[in-house]
Amino acid sequence: MQRRSFLKLGLMAAAGVAAGGGLYRVLHPAAPGRFTLDGEAHLVLAAIAPAMLGSALAATEPQRNADIASLVRGVQLAIAGLPLAQQQEVQDLFALLALAPARRLLVGIKGGWGEASAAQVAAFLQDWRLHRFATLQTAYLALHDLMLGAWYGDARHWAAIGYPGPLPELSPAP
């Protein structure tokens, strides 16, 4: 491929992602105030959870689904605790992951998140974790911190990492 063709293709792809992002914003206007995870964000989290949490998730399907639902609630609580500017950045990240052209070009997943294999999701996460662009590394770290923070912020999961819980308050000396 010639350099000129490569640059043209890159510009067309960037324009396509930008146009798709604008279309997503028009079709899914941001709610005033705080960000709330929508259905597509739930699918993203449900697809990423097994790759990030691995064997920490329950092995049986009903309990695994309950674990993922609990994780999604925890992520929502974590996002709600962020300043509004950071909530907007998280919303932009989930909008990017939900957008089909961006998902295909940046993530490498052709179908929807519900059809993504564990290997595809693990490969996407590894790619973003080690990517040469700091923006994608930051996006990976945001997903990582939100998910693991929500998971291990739940007292039910502390024993798995040997955390005994917060220390009891010391009583004042007499």
Side-chain angles (χ1 to χ4, degrees):
M1 179 180 275
Q2 293 180 349
R3 183 175 181 222
R4 186 177 302 256
S5 299
F6 180 75
L7 291 173
K8 286 180 184 177
L9 180 64
L11 286 173
M12 288 189 320
V17 169
L23 180 62
Y24 184 87
R25 291 268 183 178
V26 169
L27 297 176
H28 300 92
R34 303 225 167 255
F35 169 62
T36 303
L37 293 171
D38 62 8
E40 190 66 28
H42 287 238
L43 291 174
V44 170
L45 291 172
I48 293 174
M52 280 211 183
L53 296 172
S55 63
L57 288 172
T60 63
E61 192 66 29
Q63 184 58 44
R64 185 181 195 90
N65 291 339
D67 282 351
I68 291 173
S70 175
L71 174 72
V72 170
R73 285 190 301 276
V75 168
Q76 177 63 48
L77 285 172
I79 292 170
L82 296 173
L84 288 175
Q86 288 180 336
Q87 287 185 31
Q88 182 62 47
E89 290 176 3
V90 172
Q91 182 176 8
D92 290 344
L93 173 59
F94 281 110
L96 181 72
L97 293 172
L99 191 64
R103 184 179 57 243
R104 186 173 179 131
L105 292 172
L106 292 174
V107 177
I109 295 176
K110 296 177 184 174
W113 284 102
E115 294 86 41
S117 71
Q120 287 175 313
V121 174
F124 135 68
L125 290 171
Q126 182 69 359
D127 182 49
W128 277 27
R129 186 175 78 84
L130 301 173
H131 207 279
R132 65 182 179 175
F133 294 133
T135 303
L136 295 181
Q137 289 179 3
T138 302
Y140 166 81
L141 290 172
L143 289 170
H144 178 270
D145 291 352
L146 282 170
M147 294 189 76
L148 292 180
W151 183 259
Y152 290 112
D154 186 342
R156 295 177 297 154
H157 306 294
W158 292 349
I161 57 172
Y163 178 59
L167 296 173
E169 290 186 44
L170 299 175
S171 55

